[in-house]
Amino acid sequence: MPKSVKSRTAHASRGYQIIEVTDLTGGLDLRRSPSLLSPDRARTLRNFALTNPGELVVRPGYLRFSTNNLGNSKIQGGQRIYLNSTSGTRLAWNGAVYSLTDGGVLDSTAVYSTINSTAQAFFPYDRELAAVMDGINRPRKSTDLSTWTLMGIDAGSSAPTLSSRSSGSLSASEFEVAATFKDRGTGHESNGSPVSTITLGATGAIEVSVSNSTDGQTETIVMYARNKTAGETVLRKVSSAAQNGGAGANSTYRISSSDWSANAEIPTNHNVPAAYRFAVPWKNRWWAAHPTVGNRIAFTELFLNQAWPTLFFIDIPFERGDDITALVPQGDTLLVFGQTKVFLIIGQTSLDFEVRPSAGAQAGCLGPRAATAIENGVIHASAEGVFIFDGATDKYLGFDIETGWRDLIANTASAGLSDVAVVYHFPHKELRISVPRLYPTATAGEWILDLNRTREQEAPAWTSTDRTVGGYILHDGDEPTLGVRGRLLTWHSSTQGTVWSESTGTTANSSNMTAEYEGPVFGMGILRARLIDVRGEYEPHAGAFSVEPLVDGVSQGVQTMTIGSGLALYGTAVYGTDAYAGSGRRMFYTIQPLGAEGRNLQLKATYVGQEAFKVFAYQMGFVPESAPRSFSE
């Protein structure tokens, strides 16, 4: 007779089990529930770097770079400028322009002092000159970064005074005469003054008296004339000479010969610039956002970076009433960003341009500093998120920080959003985005995208910092001084006229760095478990390191680990006469309280110190219950 069949109760093993996290450098993921995160992802990564997979290390620190503080208001703008004869850093603060040396000396005396005291300031430049623009005042320019004068030269407001002289070879005819003002240093010339007419009754000459320019950059007065009786239709250059005397005086010249038929015509399109907001050089011209017509982009005459003809502009046909928020040149294309859309100005040459909407672009840009060229595209931060535009389509990079970005847009005024700044710090292969509100702290900080880690895992790898950044100054040109190329400077977003050097050293300006980690939640399903212990690998350093286990969201207390550099290390410590062999890794271990029981386990960790502390891995040991409970809790 066969044996009777008996059922066996299913049960979970009561044995000690371990959850192991071997890589903490996968980056942030704020969009998914903490219980769905991959083990290498995190809910909080603040002031940690993702540089080396498998090593969560405190990111490089920062130091005060400038020798002094200009005052208790923020810097309006700054730029590393590279001209063909010099390079340097210039800042705008409290309505004035200041110089910052490579040694960090921030001059307390302004090199120029007539810009708006509160508006954002920008320093566009080409090989010949740099300008400062604030959208309120007419731009100023400099060719040596020390002397700043008006951009463009105003034409004379009054016609020359003419009188006849008997000694000369001019024929008895009717003549028209006008004058322009010229800066010999740049070669730029104003438009012509109003014309004066004189009729010579006999062969002779014309004496011309011109009111001197009040613009200090004017050194030369250029005479133009035409013989109306002979049928000449264009005023042509006669001669030029230095301006005699200062403003308010008159300079006198004599025209005695009419041999000007092959000479240059008088300028008619050397109009001075309006109070443009910001500009970029592209296709041998400068392109600028108009100060009052929000969708209008103005541009200069070809090869004349100070001549802004009145009719040289393009009105971008934004569909939603956008204003121009940013300009980024990329090869044969100039990207024109609005708040919600991107238009492309395509130029095969410097003479013909075509405006096209970008069908593949999904968003615009928050402000002039919120877009930057990167290795294979243009990054632009918009209300919809952070995108990279490759010339045809947008790719969204902000999935994993979308919760934080929505919080920023929903709780920040438009003026604050326009201050968002983006920079690609190429030595560290990091994209840094300064924001006035960093989730979940609601204070200023940075979102940082590590491109090396992103390439390796084929998904964006984000982390964050607690830096209060108003803007970036990247040294990305030809630097004659060793070690300067790649330097990244920042300024405070609200209250300090100081400049800081980023990714420098291991301290927060000689104070402690605070780095925070909050890992994924490990669910036990329907079984409850008791958390027994927590252990992990680290590299010994000075400073304080603590872990905070959470069970069902309830903290089990902040538990301080001993990580000091004074501990004995394999390879350095001596026992008797022999040295221990091995590496510099050590393990921390902590037993959890008896009440650490629940269905979800999580770990937070914090380092406070002034060294590049590393955490390699951690494990959480637990014992699950043998069967699920049969009653509601």
Side-chain angles (χ1 to χ4, degrees), residues 7-24:
S7 65
R8 184 175 62 183
T9 303
H11 66 277
S13 171
R14 290 178 176 269
Y16 176 82
Q17 300 179 38
I18 290 178
I19 295 172
E20 184 174 18
V21 178
T22 58
D23 184 8
L24 291 69

Side-chain angles (χ1 to χ4, degrees), residues 263 462 591:
N263 293 348
W462 291 93
I591 297 178

Side-chain angles (χ1 to χ4, degrees), residues 2 15 34 50 92 164-165 183 228 285 295 340 365 383 385 419 430 437 443 491 504 538 562 569:
L50 311 179
S164 61
R165 293 292 183 265
D183 176 4
K228 294 180 66 176
R285 305 174 191 264
N295 67 324
T340 63
C365 190
D419 287 335
E430 288 181 338
R437 180 184 174 94
T443 58
W491 66 83
T504 301
Y538 68 94
T562 302
L569 301 180

